[in-house]
Amino acid sequence: MIFPRLERYADGRLAFEDLAPAFLLLLMEVPDLLKTDEQPDEVHRRLFPDPGDDAAMKEEWARFVHPELFSLLASAREIVLHDLANVRPSSPEIGMGTWRMEIPPDHVNGWISALNAARLALGAIQGIESEDDLHAFDDTPEGEEEDDAPVEFDERRFVITKIHLLGELQAMLIMDQCPPPPGFFPNMREEDDDEEEEEETGS
């Protein structure tokens, strides 16, 4: 699958370019995942976690924290709906059959929150409790080639793939807002230097 690109413009706008139809359809699922009044109890518990067994703490949480979280989630959902309504086909120069979605500067944090909440909701629906659960299907069973793996629809695997893809988009936005300092990925620099040296020597 071809991943989209995140482009930043001089006026501060961001845009996901080259959104394949699969990515666009996935993003269009996000608003429904944020409809907390229509989600099962396990999603509510994941998005609005219980602060503990202390009765006073629970009361304070219900009075002050829960309404604030609900308001932030509702606001993020409105942001997602607004930007999805303005999705346009990519220009022919970028690629046929792909899409472009602009994100205004003041919508970025809302998108980060929405993507995170959507991933939590999907995980709750499938009973995914830990990082290990997300990587349960990463390895091909011993003695079985990838090309020989049975082609059967597995809903849990499908949802985990969605969680990973939403995480990739979320990471793009976070990295744009908080780029790593120089030298944060030392191995990447070394690999680039090796490639440049090979080109110079013609090897």
Side-chain angles (χ1 to χ4, degrees), residues 4-103:
R5 296 177 294 106
L6 183 65
E7 296 289 342
R8 170 174 284 278
Y9 296 90
D11 60 3
R13 287 177 302 126
L14 295 177
F16 277 119
E17 305 276 9
D18 293 351
L19 277 168
F23 270 103
L24 181 58
L25 289 173
L26 180 57
L27 289 176
M28 291 174 68
E29 291 183 26
V30 171
D32 284 341
L33 290 169
L34 304 189
K35 282 185 177 179
T36 53
D37 56 335
E38 299 180 10
Q39 295 290 359
D41 291 341
E42 54 265 28
V43 173
H44 279 267
R45 287 193 293 269
R46 189 68 60 88
L47 295 179
F48 308 105
D50 194 323
D53 297 328
D54 184 88
M57 184 180 295
K58 283 187 175 182
E59 183 179 351
E60 291 295 305
W61 177 274
R63 288 178 58 196
F64 299 108
V65 181
H66 187 284
E68 180 67 16
L69 288 175
F70 188 87
S71 176
L72 288 172
L73 208 56
S75 175
R77 182 174 181 272
E78 290 302 314
I79 284 172
V80 170
L81 286 170
H82 176 276
D83 293 343
L84 284 174
N86 294 308
V87 169
R88 297 291 182 268
S90 299
S91 65
E93 290 78 13
I94 296 177
M96 297 297 293
T98 59
W99 303 81
R100 180 177 189 275
M101 184 182 71
E102 286 194 7
I103 302 178

Side-chain angles (χ1 to χ4, degrees), residues 115-135:
L115 293 172
N116 185 63
R119 298 179 74 227
L120 290 174
L122 286 170
I125 292 170
Q126 285 296 320
I128 296 170
E129 301 293 342
S130 68
E131 188 71 19
D132 289 340
D133 292 338
L134 286 175
H135 299 287

Side-chain angles (χ1 to χ4, degrees), residues 126-129 133 136-137 154-161:
Q126 285 296 320
I128 296 170
E129 301 293 342
D133 292 338
F137 302 109
D154 186 318
E155 183 178 358
R156 185 176 177 84
R157 184 192 292 265
F158 184 52
V159 170
I160 287 175
T161 299

